[in-house]
Amino acid sequence: MVERACVESIAQHEGQQVTIKGWLYNKTDKGKLQFLLVRDGTGIIQAVVLEDDVPAQTFEAAQMATQESSIIVSGTVRADERAPGGYELAVTELEVVQLAEPYPITPKEHGVSFLMDHRHLWLRSPRQQAILKIRAEVIRACRDYFDSNGFTLVDTPILTPAACEGTSTLFETDYFGESAYLAQSGQLYSEASIAALGKVYCFGPTFRAEKSKTRRHLLEFWMVEPEMAYADLDDCMHLAEEFVAYIVQSVLKNRKAQLELLGRDTTPLERVEPPFPRMTYDEAVEILHSKGLDFQWGDDFGAPDETALAEEFERPVLVNRYPTQVKAFYMEPDPERPELSLSVDCLAPEGYGEIIGGGQRIADRDLLLQRIEEHDLPAQAFQWYLDLRRYGSTPHSGFGLGIERTVAWICGLEHIRETIPFPRMLYRIYP
Ligand code: 4AD
Ligand code: MG
């Protein structure tokens, strides 16, 4: 039997007879010579079918094969400078597993809406493959960082009894006659887990019924959230910069080819090393005013504000101590200025905006209860969360990093929709 090989490691098989199982990406018909570009998920190789070298039936199959047909080719691997990738396959056998119908995505330009309707096929394009590979590397790096720095993975529930990040973006569902909500964040459950394990992280899909269409928002996105007992805002910021730098450096090291395919200028990414610049919300407002932006102290930053702030620095910036009124109910107040919260956002450079949100959590039960009431949240659903402040409460902090925003930034993409295999956006749930 001929050994099965993958395109990625084809160089190891020079001179050998191998089989490649994949799909026909493109074809050039030169009469007695058929050049088939075969992709197998790891790369693309040129398979050459010469009429005189193969049975008539095999040559016919090569002639008939259509774009995206699933095919199995066997032949000898030989080095050839002219071939894309430096190697080609001199075909001796070819089997068309399924002859594809005329493929809707052709090399011509398609509109975004058409591509989104065909997302299940669009994923096969080299650009989408590169993004998916980078996404997988970002996720691998996230897990690797926490797993090797003393954090324990704790999976948090997706069906939850109450809001974490405000009631305006909740997805509600029926839970045998009661209301349940898709998790906006795993944070509250991670806070419970730190009293068992010290340092934890959760990682999973999170849901927000965002009613606006922007290039940064999805309705379903993936978030990785570390949480640490006995940790304050400074510890949180320190972790954030180490973590983000680790992710970026991992992608630079392990996904160079994909960044190149995307045409990403990696110079700004190479600068992403700790420490990151830090500034308070107050300082950020001053910068906005000095740049002539009309911004009211006490408001949350919009995308143009975040872009203007990040422009000031070459690395991601840690903006801390936002007014309590713009943040979630669980934020610990700044003891020196209680109108501020011990919160932090990490803003990515190059106009990509917030990739991390987090900070120090309220440790005191009475204050937490007061905030739950002020935010009109159902206290009953938070009894267990309040309990955490009754049995061994500690100062603690953590944050959440949005995977898709991070991938958009690292890849240099215009829009977040390409960062996740099947994006969920306003009025779009197909495919
Ligand atoms: O700032 P957020 O809302 O913070 C939390 O959910 C905290 N509970 C996390 C924590 O402290 N454990 O969201 C965190 C990050 C944002 O910085 C952003 O990267 C991403 O999640 N994010 C979104 N990404 C895509 N689409 C959306 N609609 C997003 N909303 C938030
Ligand atoms: Mg936020």
Side-chain angles (χ1 to χ4, degrees):
M1 236 203 51
V2 182
E3 193 187 344
R4 176 152 176 210
C6 57
V7 175
E8 192 175 38
S9 48
I10 206 69
Q12 297 164 13
H13 298 277
E14 192 183 343
Q16 293 170 12
Q17 177 85 4
V18 297
T19 294
I20 290 171
K21 300 186 176 185
W23 296 265
L24 182 59
Y25 176 62
N26 209 342
K27 188 168 79 171
T28 311
D29 187 338
K30 294 257 180 193
K32 289 167 83 66
L33 211 51
Q34 301 285 325
F35 292 102
L36 311 181
L37 285 181
V38 180
R39 54 170 198 85
D40 72 344
T42 73
I44 295 182
I45 191 167
Q46 175 169 290
V48 186
V49 193
L50 185 61
E51 189 169 15
D52 298 341
D53 286 0
V54 293
Q57 226 179 342
T58 306
F59 191 73
E60 240 166 68
Q63 280 180 313
M64 303 292 289
T66 48
Q67 184 190 356
E68 288 306 315
S69 290
S70 32
I71 60 173
I72 299 176
V73 284
S74 300
T76 311
V77 179
R78 60 184 181 213
D80 190 317
E81 279 172 11
R82 293 160 303 175
Y87 292 89
E88 64 178 20
L89 196 72
V91 174
T92 50
E93 280 172 55
L94 180 149
E95 180 194 342
V96 176
V97 178
Q98 191 256 333
L99 189 66
E101 295 175 29
Y103 194 61
I105 302 181
T106 54
K108 76 162 201 222
E109 286 277 309
H110 293 285
V112 169
S113 151
F114 177 88
L115 290 171
M116 289 297 284
D117 286 341
H118 294 85
R119 182 68 178 162
H120 51 299
L121 304 177
W122 187 22
L123 288 180
R124 303 180 190 190
S125 81
R127 176 184 159 88
Q128 299 307 316
Q129 288 173 35
I131 297 169
L132 290 181
K133 292 238 180 202
I134 291 172
R135 177 188 170 95
E137 175 63 20
V138 165
I139 292 173
R140 193 202 62 75
C142 289
R143 293 193 180 284
D144 187 41
Y145 182 87
F146 291 127
D147 290 342
S148 49
N149 282 284
F151 290 77
T152 302
L153 173 70
V154 173
D155 299 312
T156 53
I158 287 176
L159 289 167
T160 62
C164 176
E165 295 298 322
T167 48
S168 64
T169 60
L170 276 178
F171 271 113
E172 190 172 348
T173 181
D174 174 61
Y175 200 74
F176 304 105
E178 279 183 53
S179 280
Y181 308 95
L182 301 185
Q184 296 169 309
S185 157
Q187 178 196 322
L188 308 187
Y189 297 93
S190 292
E191 286 183 62
S193 313
I194 53 169
L197 298 159
K199 295 202 290 184
V200 306
Y201 73 101
C202 63
F203 179 50
T206 47
F207 306 86
R208 309 258 170 115
E210 305 276 3
K211 279 142 206 124
S212 60
K213 269 190 184 175
T214 83
R215 57 195 193 90
R216 292 180 181 178
H217 288 90
L218 293 168
L219 305 189
E220 179 179 302
F221 63 97
W222 288 65
M223 184 157 47
V224 59
E225 300 178 79
E227 192 72 28
M228 305 175 286
Y230 294 105
D232 61 13
L233 176 63
D234 271 339
D235 298 319
C236 185
M237 291 198 277
H238 181 69
L239 178 69
E241 64 195 1
E242 293 285 328
F243 176 57
V244 169
Y246 183 80
I247 296 171
V248 172
Q249 297 306 325
S250 298
V251 175
L252 284 172
K253 186 164 151 238
N254 301 322
R255 288 291 174 259
K256 209 169 163 6
Q258 285 76 18
L259 290 169
E260 204 175 292
L261 189 144
L262 295 172
R264 177 63 158 119
D265 173 11
T266 53
T267 338
L269 297 178
E270 275 145 27
R271 289 194 288 257
V272 181
E273 294 273 8
F276 292 172
R278 295 170 189 204
M279 66 177 155
T280 62
Y281 173 90
D282 284 355
E283 288 163 347
V285 173
E286 263 175 48
I287 290 180
L288 294 179
H289 288 164
S290 75
K291 293 183 124 187
L293 275 98
D294 178 24
F295 184 86
Q296 187 72 34
W297 192 98
D299 285 350
D300 202 357
F301 299 130
D305 306 314
E306 289 184 350
T307 301
L309 291 171
E311 255 170 26
E312 297 293 295
F313 307 94
E314 290 203 319
R315 298 174 188 200
V317 54
L318 297 167
V319 182
N320 55 80
R321 296 179 168 79
Y322 285 70
T324 304
Q325 69 203 59
V326 301
K327 288 293 181 190
F329 73 96
Y330 50 71
M331 295 284 185
E332 181 81 346
D334 183 343
E336 276 154 37
R337 287 179 56 195
E339 75 278 17
L340 301 182
S341 60
L342 296 179
S343 50
V344 60
D345 277 11
C346 178
L347 310 183
E350 302 171 80
Y352 283 92
E354 178 197 335
I355 52 168
I356 279 183
Q360 195 171 328
R361 328 300 192 185
I362 293 176
D364 179 72
R365 182 183 181 277
D366 293 343
L367 177 60
L368 187 58
L369 181 58
Q370 184 190 322
R371 287 290 153 79
I372 288 172
E373 284 164 356
E374 283 166 8
H375 283 252
D376 258 333
L377 294 167
Q380 197 46 44
F382 288 94
Q383 287 309 312
W384 67 274
Y385 186 60
L386 288 158
D387 267 359
L388 305 176
R389 278 71 183 169
R390 296 169 64 202
Y391 307 107
S393 188
T394 65
H396 63 288
S397 63
F399 61 77
L401 172 129
I403 295 294
E404 291 75 17
R405 297 242 186 118
T406 306
V407 173
W409 163 47
I410 293 177
C411 292
L413 306 179
E414 269 293 306
H415 199 290
I416 198 167
R417 64 185 157 230
E418 287 179 85
T419 62
I420 183 163
F422 295 98
R424 296 293 170 244
M425 302 189 301
L426 197 60
Y427 310 127
R428 180 172 282 285
I429 198 168
Y430 177 93

